[in-house]
Amino acid sequence: MLAERPLREQNGRGKFNLLNARTRKFLSYYKPYQRLFWADMACAFVVSVTTLLIPLGANAITKNILAGSGPDTLTQIYGMGAIMLGLILIHTLGNMFVAYQGHMMGAMMEHDMRRELFDHYQKLSFGFYDEQKVGQLMTRLTNDSFDLAELFHHGPEDIVISLLNFVGAFAILISINARLALTIFLFLPIMAVYAFHFNKKMKAALRRSHDRIGDINSQVEDTLSGIRVVKSFTNETVEAEKFAGENGRFLASRRDTYRSETYFYEGLMAFTQLMTVAVIVFGGISIVKSSLDLPELITFLLCVGILIEPIRRYGNFTRLYQEGVAGFTRFMEVLEVQPDIQDADNAVELDQVKGTITFRNVSFRYRNDSGYVFHNLSLAIKAGEFVALVGSSGIGKTTLCSLIPRFYEVNDGEVLLDGTNIKTIRLDSLRRSIGLVQQDVYLFAGTVVDNIRYGKLDASEAEIVAAAKKANAHGFIMALPDGYNTDIGQRGVKLSGGQKQRLSIARVFLKNPPVLIFDEATGALDNESEQAIRDSLEVLARNRTTIVIAHRLSTVRNAQRIIVLTEEGIDEQGTHEELVARGGTYASLYNMQLSL
Ligand code: ADP
Ligand code: MG
């Protein structure tokens, strides 16, 4: 099983699997569209056969013309003309089906893949996203799968049409004049070697260009997400330079791609033209030597035209195939990442959670190559207790709290909720029991009411308003232009930090979980917000286990127990008075804040 690790790392060993597991996966996307697929193939077959029949008709007509101009001959020419017209009609209909339904089939398969990847993205855990760039992940979902849609239907069509045309044209040529046919077939091995060589170059170049477009997306995503910081530091030029770097690398990769594509395509085209010249020259010689007649030469030339078509299609197919494989590889790299935090097979559902939280000898580090944030930490929090977590910045307060909803897996020891190891609790059940107010609140695009309702999707209007009132948010919401229906824009930029935090408190009121984790905003809140948040926290904390990562004296003082974290783990715990009297770490932190 692949664990969640940087994607590149897995890439190396995934490479050779391409022919088995990944190919099977690739083929599985055809399954729901089998009937459409076979209809598409049948049409491709019809297209190919009609293509071959047309030169035979031309052969018959020219033979008749040369034979003389009796009334019989004219009727035959009319007849052949009518048949050819019919063939063209069938040919066109077949082509139309392939062009429309074939493309739709590809698009539907792409749609299925996208859904699968999106679902997968939602399963991957925090650890995965810590390592990934959103832009790259977006590219995999959008660009890469589109390349595949093309391959999905053009691939099989091209194979069918090319193979049939090739074999058919070859048979016709041999039957007309074997020696001339073999002459032009001498070109084929040379062309194969040539194609193989540039094919390999094309493949490598395409892979690079896929990665580079992902880099561009990451860069844009980064700059635009931080556009406010960029502007406030007037660092637009720095960002432009970073972008120019990515953009330039992408251009270079496109250059490589086009170069190899040009050699590949145009080289093959030149060979096919050489074939035509060879036919005319050797055909002419044969006519002079009377081993070939004119209608045969015309048919021959038409067939060489048909022979060129599969070669062109082969070139096209190769490009599609390379792009598709590059896209599919990138797609599978993510899809093959197993979420490292999943329900255990026998995971249990917890109901009536009381909210006892126990850390038993917990050790944790973010990565195998980084230092431990906690070593052998033990802590017991009673149901309904109000605990404040204090300690200097970067000491691990947020980390400690993110272990409870199992955002990260402990390396050693266990975390228990109501005495049950959280590893054996179903994730949805566990996370439903925990309410989280984060330091920087994320608000989704949409209205105020949508964002509050996120805490309980089936909440009524009345419940939402009640929650907002309890969160002390009702007042400012009503002052917004459209009240609860105000569109707050992406990331809630139109609200202040304190207002956003109050919305997120309202969400948790709606959710009404037995356990609350509250990461107090570190930044200075306006006085009104601070007072409002403190009051609503007090209400919110009633009848549930509450852990507050506290930065304000007012919050700390209200706590039943204060836990002081230092490098060594839990340094001391007790009430405010006890800890001040003890004269330890907390007392000095407290005195420092007082003096501010
Ligand atoms: P606090 O909340 O006490 O300020 P954190 O829990 O955020 O501290 O961080 C504790 C330590 O873990 C810090 O050294 C920080 O750099 C590191 N850390 C925090 N989040 C991550 C992460 N997602 N990946 C790797 N290291 C992290
Ligand atoms: Mg923190």
Side-chain angles (χ1 to χ4, degrees):
M1 194 172 79
L2 297 170
E4 288 187 9
R5 260 177 297 116
L7 295 175
R8 277 283 162 270
E9 239 170 82
Q10 287 173 7
N11 193 15
R13 61 176 183 163
K15 219 173 174 180
F16 231 80
N17 282 336
L18 203 73
L19 275 167
N20 29 60
R22 283 188 182 168
T23 309
R24 256 182 281 128
K25 180 77 183 157
F26 183 85
L27 294 178
S28 74
Y29 290 104
Y30 282 104
K31 210 142 186 224
Y33 308 106
Q34 271 176 16
R35 284 169 59 183
L36 190 53
F37 174 77
W38 290 116
D40 195 40
M41 285 305 104
C43 284
F45 181 78
V46 168
V47 166
S48 172
V49 170
T50 46
T51 312
L52 288 169
L53 288 177
I54 289 168
L56 289 183
N59 185 26
I61 290 181
T62 40
K63 273 221 155 90
N64 273 325
I65 294 171
L66 287 181
S69 57
D72 244 24
T73 322
L74 276 183
T75 326
Q76 275 184 12
I77 291 179
Y78 286 140
M80 283 316 293
I83 291 175
M84 283 167 74
L85 217 61
L87 286 176
I88 287 175
L89 183 71
I90 296 173
H91 182 85
T92 308
L93 286 178
N95 258 339
M96 281 170 80
F97 186 90
V98 168
Y100 174 62
Q101 295 291 358
H103 269 120
M104 271 318 288
M105 181 184 78
M108 287 188 284
M109 291 164 77
E110 179 197 349
H111 163 267
D112 296 349
M113 286 177 70
R114 254 191 210 144
R115 187 186 48 209
E116 188 175 349
L117 187 58
F118 185 80
D119 288 348
H120 188 67
Y121 278 166
Q122 298 222 74
K123 285 192 205 119
L124 293 172
S125 51
F126 281 48
F128 176 81
Y129 288 99
D130 288 346
E131 308 277 345
Q132 292 302 316
K133 291 181 180 156
V134 175
Q136 282 281 7
L137 295 176
M138 277 173 56
T139 314
R140 280 168 211 254
L141 195 75
T142 50
N143 289 38
D144 295 359
S145 53
F146 183 71
D147 292 336
L148 273 162
E150 288 289 291
L151 175 63
F152 272 138
H153 79 102
H154 281 313
E157 276 160 30
D158 282 347
I159 292 175
V160 167
I161 295 180
S162 310
L163 226 62
L164 277 176
N165 282 3
F166 197 79
V167 173
F170 185 59
I172 295 173
L173 289 177
I174 291 272
S175 72
I176 295 174
N177 188 318
R179 191 190 276 175
L180 193 51
L182 289 176
T183 313
I184 58 173
F185 270 78
L186 285 180
F187 281 94
L188 294 179
I190 307 171
M191 286 167 77
V193 172
Y194 180 89
F196 184 76
H197 176 71
F198 284 102
N199 208 351
K200 250 175 41 187
K201 291 201 159 185
M202 227 160 81
K203 185 172 169 182
L206 274 166
R207 167 81 216 202
R208 275 197 302 276
S209 110
H210 271 249
D211 283 351
R212 293 297 88 80
I213 193 75
D215 289 342
I216 288 202
N217 282 348
S218 301
Q219 183 57 52
V220 173
E221 204 263 340
D222 198 32
T223 303
L224 296 188
S225 305
I227 194 75
R228 286 161 192 86
V229 183
V230 173
K231 284 181 185 293
S232 64
F233 283 96
T234 57
N235 271 348
E236 285 91 343
T237 26
V238 178
E239 294 301 314
E241 271 162 24
K242 283 197 242 169
F243 183 76
E246 296 300 351
N247 209 9
R249 275 185 282 281
F250 177 62
L251 182 63
S253 75
R254 285 317 289 171
R255 183 177 298 127
D256 290 348
T257 317
Y258 284 131
R259 185 179 292 140
S260 46
E261 275 184 6
T262 304
Y263 281 126
F264 181 81
Y265 262 132
E266 303 310 325
L268 282 186
M269 285 303 113
F271 277 117
T272 58
Q273 274 158 349
L274 282 178
M275 276 162 116
T276 314
V277 173
V279 167
I280 294 172
V281 171
F282 291 110
I285 295 171
S286 303
I287 288 181
V288 170
K289 289 188 176 167
S290 304
S291 58
L292 192 77
D293 60 17
L294 198 56
E296 280 173 343
L297 183 61
I298 291 175
T299 315
F300 220 94
L301 279 174
L302 284 172
C303 280
V304 169
I306 296 177
L307 203 64
I308 290 172
E309 172 66 14
I311 294 170
R312 197 187 58 77
R313 271 192 196 260
Y314 166 74
N316 198 27
F317 171 75
T318 316
R319 190 177 47 84
L320 275 182
Y321 180 77
Q322 303 296 20
E323 290 198 339
V325 166
F328 193 67
T329 308
R330 284 167 48 89
F331 171 83
M332 286 307 291
E333 276 168 6
V334 191
L335 211 60
E336 280 167 359
V337 178
Q338 295 288 331
D340 58 5
I341 294 177
Q342 276 176 318
D343 281 341
D345 290 336
N346 49 355
V348 294
E349 182 100 16
L350 281 194
D351 44 28
Q352 301 290 325
V353 174
K354 290 186 197 66
T356 316
I357 296 164
T358 320
F359 282 74
R360 202 177 277 160
N361 307 321
V362 169
S363 297
F364 175 76
R365 54 181 171 180
Y366 278 99
R367 299 161 54 101
N368 290 340
D369 53 3
S370 63
Y372 278 97
V373 184
F374 307 112
H375 212 93
N376 212 12
L377 179 139
S378 295
L379 171 69
I381 299 170
K382 290 194 286 287
E385 203 179 0
F386 185 118
V387 181
L389 211 52
V390 298
S392 55
S393 167
I395 207 73
K397 304 179 292 293
T398 306
T399 306
L400 186 73
C401 288
S402 58
L403 293 180
I404 303 170
R406 212 176 149 212
F407 290 153
Y408 296 93
E409 203 85 281
V410 297
N411 296 92
D412 231 326
E414 49 189 18
V415 180
L416 309 126
L417 177 64
D418 283 1
T420 311
N421 188 332
I422 57 169
K423 280 187 189 176
T424 64
I425 302 175
R426 287 186 43 175
L427 272 179
D428 55 353
S429 158
L430 172 70
R431 291 181 184 166
R432 248 197 328 260
S433 322
I434 300 167
L436 206 58
V437 178
Q438 267 149 339
Q439 228 168 23
D440 4 76
V441 177
Y442 186 86
L443 296 177
F444 291 96
T447 60
V448 172
V449 71
D450 293 338
N451 268 289
I452 301 180
R453 188 175 275 133
Y454 212 77
K456 183 183 172 198
L457 298 180
D458 57 355
S460 67
E461 294 270 318
E463 279 178 285
I464 289 172
V465 174
K469 279 185 176 155
K470 282 191 249 176
N472 284 323
H474 183 71
F476 86 80
I477 294 172
M478 291 313 284
L480 293 171
D482 294 319
Y484 280 85
N485 292 317
T486 307
D487 199 313
I488 41 181
Q490 283 215 323
R491 293 175 180 242
V493 278
K494 293 177 213 159
L495 296 179
S496 77
Q499 288 172 330
K500 284 194 264 183
Q501 199 160 47
R502 278 184 269 166
L503 284 191
S504 97
I505 291 172
R507 267 182 197 167
V508 178
F509 265 116
L510 267 190
K511 186 177 181 180
N512 194 22
V515 177
L516 168 69
I517 297 170
F518 191 103
D519 206 339
E520 211 171 48
T522 30
L525 293 177
D526 49 289
N527 281 336
E528 184 213 334
S529 277
E530 190 180 335
Q531 181 66 41
I533 289 171
R534 187 193 312 150
D535 292 348
S536 50
L537 173 60
E538 209 169 286
V539 180
L540 187 59
R542 268 179 217 150
N543 302 320
R544 58 184 115 234
T545 312
T546 304
I547 304 173
V548 183
I549 299 176
H551 302 291
R552 266 168 261 289
L553 280 179
S554 52
T555 318
V556 182
R557 270 203 150 135
N558 285 340
Q560 292 169 351
R561 177 157 56 124
I562 298 161
I563 295 165
V564 185
L565 277 182
T566 60
E567 296 277 357
E568 280 72 46
I570 296 173
D571 186 39
E572 48 186 16
Q573 39 185 319
T575 61
H576 175 74
E577 284 73 23
E578 285 166 3
L579 291 180
V580 170
R582 196 169 177 265
T585 315
Y586 178 77
S588 55
L589 273 174
Y590 174 67
N591 289 328
M592 209 162 69
Q593 277 211 5
L594 272 191
S595 65
L596 286 179

